[in-house]
Amino acid sequence: SRYYHDLSMEYLWPQLRPEVRACVEDVQDGPEADTRLTVHLRGQDLWNMGEFEEKPKNSMNLEAGAHHWLWANPPCTMYEKIIREEGYKSVLVVTSPDRRHACVEWFERLQERSGLDIKVTVQSQKLAEDFCALTRAKNLVLSFSTLSNAAAVLSKQLRRVYVREFALNSLMNCDLWKGVDIVQYGMPISEGSHKPYNNTYAGVIEWFQTYDVSNIARRDKCKERDR
């Protein structure tokens, strides 16, 4: 990703739409930015919607087979582990307008449920505005999505990135550029092995919202995605 970051700064950054570049360069610095965690929650096509469907036409079928990439995403409890261990005071959750991701509701109840002194903001705006929010984050949790991965590669503000698994065809890997640290987490859950949770949306939601945090381990060394 060090190589892709350098290329992106040289060739892609100048091609950003002026309003997007202006948004990204509107840096929100200081102690508040240092203690803010930005989280990307991928929605839409992973949550029983069509790939190009912006808002759901039908209610989600909880008994339908879940999208297999959901098993590669972080469960909600991984976010709480990060918040507790790193001492973040606020969270900006960036997600799609459908807000179907199981961790949206979980985040909205986080303070009440956990007793943490934490401010949570959920953002679902136009793609350019959401991309801007991800790109100017100092502390960013990646989802299994090329959107947040691309935002990280294009970022001038990023200082710490958290990840479970790198997305397919991602420009991100363990070799980050100067000034950026990576923290990776592992857990014994995958597409091929996720007992006791069944392979339905109901099963995924149960896993996301209730997974025992003691099963989530901070890796001593970043692990690349298996090719």
Side-chain angles (χ1 to χ4, degrees):
S1 52
R2 182 195 307 263
Y3 173 73
Y4 291 123
H5 173 72
D6 292 344
L7 288 178
S8 297
M9 291 296 102
E10 184 174 358
Y11 296 107
L12 296 183
W13 181 265
Q15 302 305 317
L16 289 176
R17 288 163 52 183
E19 62 269 27
V20 175
R21 191 162 61 246
C23 179
V24 173
E25 290 178 334
D26 182 19
V27 179
Q28 301 173 351
D29 214 340
E32 184 177 345
D34 292 336
T35 58
R36 181 190 304 118
L37 181 67
T38 300
V39 174
H40 178 234
L41 300 180
R42 179 175 175 175
Q44 291 178 304
D45 60 325
L46 295 195
W47 294 93
N48 204 217
M49 290 174 59
E51 185 175 358
F52 301 106
E53 190 179 344
E54 292 188 2
K55 292 190 176 180
K57 297 176 182 177
N58 302 298
S59 58
M60 185 162 58
N61 180 1
L62 295 178
E63 298 308 312
H67 196 295
H68 61 109
W69 285 351
L70 285 170
W71 297 110
N73 275 274
C76 313
T77 49
M78 190 182 110
Y79 303 121
E80 184 170 347
K81 181 178 178 69
I82 294 170
I83 293 166
R84 289 185 181 277
E85 291 183 350
E86 305 286 83
Y88 289 109
K89 300 300 182 183
S90 66
V91 180
L92 173 61
V93 178
V94 180
T95 191
S96 48
D98 57 274
R99 298 199 173 191
R100 280 194 168 184
H101 195 293
C103 294
V104 172
E105 179 186 4
W106 182 92
F107 265 116
E108 291 173 337
R109 297 185 290 106
L110 176 60
Q111 185 177 39
E112 175 187 351
R113 186 187 62 256
S114 67
L116 287 168
D117 182 16
I118 189 86
K119 177 184 177 182
V120 176
T121 303
V122 180
Q123 172 176 321
S124 302
Q125 298 181 9
K126 293 181 179 179
L127 178 60
E129 295 167 307
D130 288 345
F131 184 77
C132 170
L134 295 172
T135 306
R136 68 184 182 188
K138 276 193 169 183
N139 310 291
L140 176 63
V141 189
L142 302 179
S143 63
F144 197 75
S145 165
T146 52
L147 178 63
S148 54
N149 284 244
V153 168
L154 268 170
S155 177
K156 295 182 178 181
Q157 307 302 324
L158 190 62
R159 293 296 175 264
R160 176 160 284 201
V161 59
Y162 301 90
V163 64
R164 183 190 169 197
E165 289 189 27
F166 296 109
L168 293 172
N169 304 314
S170 173
L171 301 180
M172 291 291 288
N173 56 36
C174 296
D175 183 25
L176 298 187
W177 51 101
K178 184 178 180 181
V180 181
D181 297 325
I182 187 166
V183 181
Q184 190 180 40
Y185 294 86
M187 61 202 74
I189 290 284
S190 67
E191 178 186 346
S193 178
H194 45 76
K195 290 183 179 180
Y197 310 102
N198 63 47
N199 194 36
T200 65
Y201 282 102
V204 167
I205 292 171
E206 181 185 2
W207 168 54
F208 269 27
Q209 296 183 345
T210 66
Y211 193 58
D212 191 336
V213 73
S214 67
N215 293 323
I216 303 173
R218 183 167 173 156
R219 294 189 187 277
D220 294 330
K221 184 179 180 181
C222 182
K223 179 180 181 293
E224 299 287 6
R225 179 175 177 79
D226 295 332
R227 299 297 180 183

